[in-house]
Amino acid sequence: MEKATWKTKIGLAQMLKGGVIMDVVTPEQAKIAEDAGACAVMALERVPADIRAAGGVARMADPSIVSAIMDTVSIPVMAKCRIGHFVEAQVLEAMGVDFIDESEVLTPADENYHVWKHDFKVPFVCGCRDLGEALRRIAEGAAMIRTKGEAGTGNIVEAVRHMRVVQDGIRWLKALPVEELVAEAKKLGAPAEIVMKIHNTGKLPVVNFAAGGVATPADAALMMQLGAEGVFVGSGIFKSSNPPAVAKAVVKATTHYQDPAILVDVSKGLGAAMPGVDIKTIPQQELLATRGW
Amino acid sequence: MTKIGILSLQGAFAEHATSLQKLGVETLAIRLPQDLENVDGLIIPGGESTTISQLAINYDLMKTLKNLAQNGFPMFGTCAGLILLARNISDSKIETIGAMDIKVQRNAFGRQTDSFETSLPIPVLGEIPFPAIFIRAPIIEETNSTVKTLARLPNGTPVAARQENLLVSAFHPELSSDLRFHAYFLDIVSR
C-alpha cells in the first residue's frame, strides 16, 4: 500500500470534474455550498472581492477558520497559500486540507519561484494565463490547473481570454510536426517532455478548471463550453443577493452546460448577481492575474 | 451492439467512457431520465456523492434510477457510485438509489493525504492482482447473505461486491489501464 501517490493526487482532481468549487469564509457558507451540490469548497478568510477592496498583504487564512470548515462539511476542503510560500503550504498540509491552491489571489511571497509541489503529500492546484505557465506549474508538481481569470471582479472576460489561450496552445502543439516540438518547448518556457505528451494526447496531463470572474450560471456554462473541466466560483456566490439559489443554479448549469432549455430554467429569478468591475478600470499594479511566473 | 450509459452529472465519467471504448463498447452520457431509454447498463462514476445525489434529484432522474435498479437493470458504481447504490450510509442523509443491501461509510480512510494505491487480489478477475486506486474512498461495513464480496483489503474490509445485477467497487478501475473490472461488468450486462 502506497499513500499519496501521483495517481491519487491527479485522481482527486479527476473526481472533481464537472463540478463547482466554491469560496467560503464561514462554516455556515460551507454548509450552503455543500447543500447546493458544490464538489469542494475553498476555505478562506476573505473572498477575493473583499481582498481586493481591503488592499494590503493577503495571507493564508487563520487555521481555525479552515479547521471549522473542515469539521462542518464532508466534501473536500481546499485552502490557499501564497505563491512560493512553502511554509504556509506545510501548515495547510499538516492540518489535513485535501488540496492546496498556490494562489495569485494572495500576495506573492516569492517573486521568482513557486513552491516545489512534488515534495508534498497533498495535491496542489495552480493558476495559469497561458499554456507555458500551466506546464511550468505541472513540472513543479501541480496536480490540477485552473485558468486565472481576474478574481473578485465578477467579470468573465479574463477567464475567457485565458481559457482560449490555453486551448489554442494545446491545439497548436497537437498540429505541429514532431521536429518542431523542442524549439516550441523553449518558446513556451516549458519542459519538452510535457510538450511531447500534449502533442501525442491532445490534452493537458492534469485536470483544468476555469476561475476568476464566474458570477452567473451562464458564465459557468460558457467556461465549460470553452473546454473547462469544471469551475471555481469565488465571490460570485456569496456576494450575490441570494447565495443558496445562485449556488444551486451554477451547479446545475455546470452539469447541463450544453442544454440551453435547462440554462433558461436555472437562470430565472436569481436576484442581483454580484456587482461587477470593468477590468480596464483596474490599475495595472492591482491586477491579480499577472502574479506568478 | 451493447451500449452502456455513464451517469455524467459530475465526476470521472469521461474516464469510464475511455475504458469501455477500449473494450469496443459504445457509451452514452446520461444526464436526464430519457437518456436511459436506449442503454443496456449503467455506470455510476466516482465524484462527490453529495453533488451527484443533489443533481440526480433534479428532473426526476433519481426516481427513474431507483425503478431500474430494482428491476434487474445492470449497474456498476465506483467510489461515489458505490455510495449511491447503497441502502444504508453511516453519518449521512444524502438520498441514494439505495438498491444494494450494503451499509457503507464515506471517507473511511481519512482525508486526501490518506488516499492510496495497492495491489488487490480479486479472485473473480483471475490470479493477477488488480491495481486499485483509493481516493477519499468509502468502505463496505455490512452486507447481507445475498451480497457476494469480491475483494477485501488485507485487514478483511470488503471493498468490492456484487448483488445480482449490481456491482460496486470502493476504488477506481477507470483510473487504471487494467480493463478486467469493466469486462466483468459487461459480462453481467450480457447475461
Side-chain angles (χ1 to χ4, degrees):
Chain A
M1 184 186 292
E2 206 186 341
K3 280 190 181 183
T5 61
W6 179 244
K7 273 191 186 163
T8 66
K9 288 179 176 181
I10 59 171
L12 179 56
Q14 286 171 286
M15 296 309 137
L16 298 173
K17 286 198 296 183
V20 182
I21 300 167
M22 301 183 191
D23 279 4
V24 297
V25 299
T26 63
E28 294 72 34
Q29 287 186 356
K31 196 80 193 86
I32 290 171
E34 182 174 58
D35 290 344
C39 67
V41 290
M42 179 76 69
L44 295 167
E45 210 161 310
R46 283 177 293 190
V47 294
D50 291 334
I51 290 173
R52 194 176 276 289
V57 174
R59 310 179 179 93
M60 172 185 80
D62 181 330
S64 60
I65 293 176
V66 181
S67 291
I69 289 167
M70 287 167 62
D71 292 343
T72 304
V73 293
S74 65
I75 56 179
V77 175
M78 301 184 165
K80 289 183 195 286
C81 75
R82 284 179 262 178
I83 289 172
H85 205 314
F86 52 85
V87 173
E88 285 188 349
Q90 289 163 4
V91 171
L92 294 172
E93 178 177 72
M95 290 177 61
V97 302
D98 298 297
F99 234 106
I100 295 177
D101 183 3
E102 187 184 18
S103 178
E104 72 283 1
V105 169
L106 306 182
T107 311
D110 190 323
E111 295 196 333
N112 295 301
Y113 306 107
H114 284 248
V115 173
W116 179 250
K117 293 164 274 285
H118 286 296
D119 277 350
F120 288 79
K121 284 187 286 182
V122 60
F124 279 73
V125 55
C126 288
C128 72
R129 279 169 300 161
D130 55 41
L131 188 59
E133 198 175 0
L135 302 193
R136 287 191 291 279
R137 297 297 84 79
I138 294 167
E140 292 157 0
M144 179 177 180
I145 289 294
R146 56 174 175 76
T147 47
K148 286 178 179 170
E150 187 60 32
T153 61
N155 188 338
I156 200 69
V157 67
E158 294 301 306
V160 168
R161 187 193 321 280
H162 299 156
M163 185 56 72
R164 281 198 183 277
V165 169
V166 169
Q167 300 292 351
D168 283 348
I170 293 168
R171 285 186 281 265
W172 175 247
L173 285 188
K174 207 179 162 194
L176 283 181
V178 69
E179 69 271 19
E180 294 184 16
L181 292 173
V182 172
E184 189 64 22
K186 184 184 171 194
K187 261 193 245 170
L188 285 170
E193 192 195 347
I194 308 179
V195 167
M196 299 277 188
K197 207 170 178 179
I198 293 172
H199 171 74
N200 290 327
T201 61
K203 57 188 176 77
L204 285 175
V206 303
V207 167
N208 182 25
F209 271 42
V214 175
T216 67
D219 287 347
L222 173 67
M223 296 318 299
M224 294 298 287
Q225 289 198 26
L226 285 171
E229 294 179 286
V231 295
F232 283 85
V233 186
S235 321
I237 289 172
F238 291 99
K239 287 287 169 187
S240 72
S241 65
N242 189 350
V246 172
K248 272 186 196 143
V250 172
V251 169
K252 283 190 196 173
T254 302
T255 292
H256 299 283
Y257 67 95
Q258 290 165 310
D259 191 328
I262 291 181
L263 296 177
V264 171
D265 178 39
V266 303
S267 299
K268 283 180 184 163
L270 294 177
M274 74 174 283
V277 180
D278 185 344
I279 308 291
K280 296 190 190 75
T281 64
I282 304 172
Q284 196 63 32
Q285 70 275 12
E286 288 178 21
L287 290 174
L288 303 176
T290 53
R291 297 166 166 179
W293 4 97
Chain B
M1 190 182 145
T2 308
K3 194 174 192 179
I4 303 294
I6 302 171
L7 191 67
S8 302
L9 299 173
Q10 190 272 326
F13 45 84
E15 286 76 357
H16 275 292
T18 305
S19 295
L20 288 177
Q21 281 151 16
K22 282 184 194 159
L23 290 166
V25 173
E26 207 182 324
T27 62
L28 183 72
I30 307 294
R31 293 191 174 88
L32 294 169
Q34 57 266 35
D35 299 333
L36 286 158
E37 282 162 17
N38 295 309
V39 293
D40 306 302
L42 179 76
I43 290 184
I44 307 171
E48 272 309 308
S49 52
T50 52
T51 305
I52 298 173
S53 167
Q54 284 287 345
L55 283 160
I57 292 166
N58 302 319
Y59 311 110
D60 273 346
L61 186 56
M62 188 67 95
K63 209 165 81 186
T64 311
L65 292 171
K66 283 180 184 178
N67 283 335
L68 283 171
Q70 278 155 13
N71 288 301
F73 192 74
M75 293 190 185
F76 173 22
T78 60
C79 195
L82 172 151
I83 295 165
L84 285 157
L85 281 172
R87 205 176 287 287
N88 285 301
I89 311 170
S90 346
D91 302 330
S92 174
K93 285 180 217 125
I94 62 166
E95 187 174 341
T96 67
I97 298 165
M100 192 163 174
D101 293 312
I102 53 174
K103 185 180 177 194
V104 304
Q105 189 191 344
R106 298 173 66 217
N107 302 334
F109 299 93
R111 302 199 73 98
Q112 169 60 13
T113 48
D114 297 308
S115 294
F116 63 97
E117 288 183 57
T118 190
S119 219
L120 196 65
I122 308 180
V124 293
L125 301 184
E127 277 182 25
I128 303 165
F130 193 86
I133 303 167
F134 291 78
I135 298 172
R136 287 173 47 93
I139 54 165
I140 300 170
E141 287 183 318
E142 289 172 23
T143 61
N144 78 7
S145 60
T146 61
V147 176
K148 186 183 174 199
T149 297
L150 302 181
R152 290 176 191 275
L153 289 175
N155 67 6
T157 306
V159 288
R162 177 181 171 182
Q163 185 179 27
E164 293 167 22
N165 55 315
L166 305 173
L167 178 67
V168 291
S169 70
F171 51 90
H172 294 281
E174 75 281 12
L175 297 186
S176 88
S177 52
D178 193 323
L179 300 172
R180 286 179 292 161
F181 218 103
H182 286 87
Y184 181 73
F185 176 61
L186 292 177
D187 198 45
I188 295 174
V189 173
S190 68
R191 277 169 202 202

